[in-house]
């Protein structure tokens, strides 16, 4: 797939033997992931929609469909799907986190976003990505010092480019530009293609 041979990659996955229902699901999810990695979001969405209509209660399918709907900018559908997932599985931290982060990132309903993310933190207190979301919503609410505290801790636990992008932006806004540049450079070394990182640098007009 990385060589641009997506059809061959999909055929390879489909040709794998499946002895159990779980094998079948793993193959399906692997093929969807290939499409997502190749940014073939509509094709991934179509696969997930078809599978989800056959198994409407499958929470994994609902979550993945919501995430692909977001990539297609179908934000109302994403929200509807995540709320449905929360109804079906009230202890699914990823659903609260994804919905809260999406609201925070779009700078809408920020108090609701914080409530959703705090629920996710309760369910998964050790998850650095959920902590990242909490830091990001605090930043959106104007609580910059609290945002730095949370994001620094999260980045220390998991130096992921997405967390680095957020921490760098908060530091940049606070005027700590050298530290921000240093974190962004580290993040680029890990994954120069990271969408959040690239979008952040472009929006802030930073060239590294």
């Amino acid at each position: 797939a990385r060589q641009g041979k997506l059809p061959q990659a999909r055929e390879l996955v489909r040709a794998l033997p499946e002895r159990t229902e779980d094998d079948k699901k793993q193959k399906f999810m692997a093929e969807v992931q290939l499409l997502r990695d190749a940014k073939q979001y509509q094709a991934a969405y179509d696969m997930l929609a078809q599978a989800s209509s056959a198994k409407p209660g499958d929470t994994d399918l609902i979550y993945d469909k919501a995430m692909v709907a977001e990539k297609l900018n179908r934000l109302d559908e994403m929200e509807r799907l995540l709320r449905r997932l929360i109804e079906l599985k009230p202890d699914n931290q990823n659903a609260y986190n994804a919905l809260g982060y999406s609201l925070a990132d779009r700078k809408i309903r920020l108090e609701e976003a914080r409530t959703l993310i705090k629920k996710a933190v309760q369910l998964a207190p050790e998850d650095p990505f959920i902590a990242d979301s909490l830091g990001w919503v605090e930043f959106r609410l104007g609580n910059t010092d609290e945002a730095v505290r949370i994001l620094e801790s999260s980045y220390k636990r998991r130096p992921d480019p997405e967390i680095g992008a957020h921490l760098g932006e908060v530091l940049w806004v606070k005027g700590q530009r050298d530290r921000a540049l240093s974190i962004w450079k580290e993040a680029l070394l890990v994954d120069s293609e990271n969408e959040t990182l690239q979008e952040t640098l472009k929006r802030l007009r930073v060239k590294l």
Side-chain angles (χ1 to χ4, degrees):
R2 285 178 182 165
Q3 293 167 5
K5 300 173 183 172
L6 186 59
Q8 293 95 316
R10 292 176 74 183
E11 279 306 317
L12 199 61
V13 171
R14 286 179 183 175
L16 289 167
E18 49 190 69
R19 287 175 290 277
T20 65
E21 206 46 44
D22 194 47
D23 288 346
K24 189 176 179 180
K25 187 171 181 178
Q26 293 281 354
K27 282 174 60 177
F28 175 83
M29 290 304 200
E31 189 175 348
V32 168
Q33 192 58 51
L34 285 173
L35 291 167
R36 288 171 70 170
D37 289 345
K39 296 185 169 53
Q40 302 274 336
Y41 298 123
Q42 187 61 54
Y45 179 88
D46 292 343
M47 276 187 74
L48 287 162
Q50 190 175 0
S52 200
S53 65
K55 291 184 176 176
D58 188 315
T59 52
D60 291 336
L61 291 173
I62 294 170
Y63 180 76
D64 282 353
K65 190 179 168 191
M67 294 299 91
V68 177
E70 183 184 30
K71 292 291 188 187
L72 292 166
N73 211 31
R74 297 180 190 173
L75 301 173
D76 289 347
E77 183 180 4
M78 178 207 70
E79 185 167 337
R80 180 182 61 73
L81 287 165
L82 289 173
R83 290 196 187 283
R84 169 83 178 127
L85 176 50
I86 288 166
E87 268 177 45
L88 290 170
K89 209 171 178 185
D91 62 346
N92 188 303
Q93 70 269 20
N94 293 326
Y96 294 100
N97 181 56
L99 183 51
Y101 178 80
S102 176
L103 295 174
D105 208 41
R106 288 180 281 147
K107 302 182 192 175
I108 59 170
R109 289 154 39 209
L110 291 174
E111 291 295 346
E112 182 189 353
R114 178 158 58 180
T115 301
L116 286 160
I117 293 165
K118 282 196 164 179
K119 177 67 176 173
V121 171
Q122 277 177 8
L123 290 164
E126 299 303 313
D127 189 317
F129 293 106
I130 292 174
D132 170 60
S133 298
L134 184 60
W136 194 235
V137 78
E138 292 293 354
F139 173 59
R140 291 298 203 207
L141 283 159
N143 304 325
T144 316
D145 290 342
E146 180 66 357
V148 169
R149 186 189 69 74
I150 295 166
L151 290 167
E152 286 273 21
S153 168
S154 178
Y155 189 66
K156 202 170 178 180
R157 276 187 288 159
R158 183 73 181 266
D160 182 87
E162 186 132 344
I163 302 171
H166 290 151
L167 174 57
E169 180 162 349
V170 178
L171 291 168
W172 185 264
V173 168
K174 268 181 74 72
Q176 297 179 27
R177 300 206 159 178
D178 288 346
R179 174 100 173 97
L181 290 169
S182 166
I183 285 166
W184 285 331
K185 282 174 184 170
E186 276 177 20
L188 277 174
L189 288 173
V190 176
D191 180 7
S192 61
E193 302 296 313
N194 182 273
E195 281 181 26
T196 304
L197 182 57
Q198 288 297 341
E199 185 276 323
T200 302
L201 296 173
K202 188 177 172 187
R203 181 165 37 77
L204 297 175
R205 294 180 180 156
V206 174
K207 283 192 167 64
L208 296 177

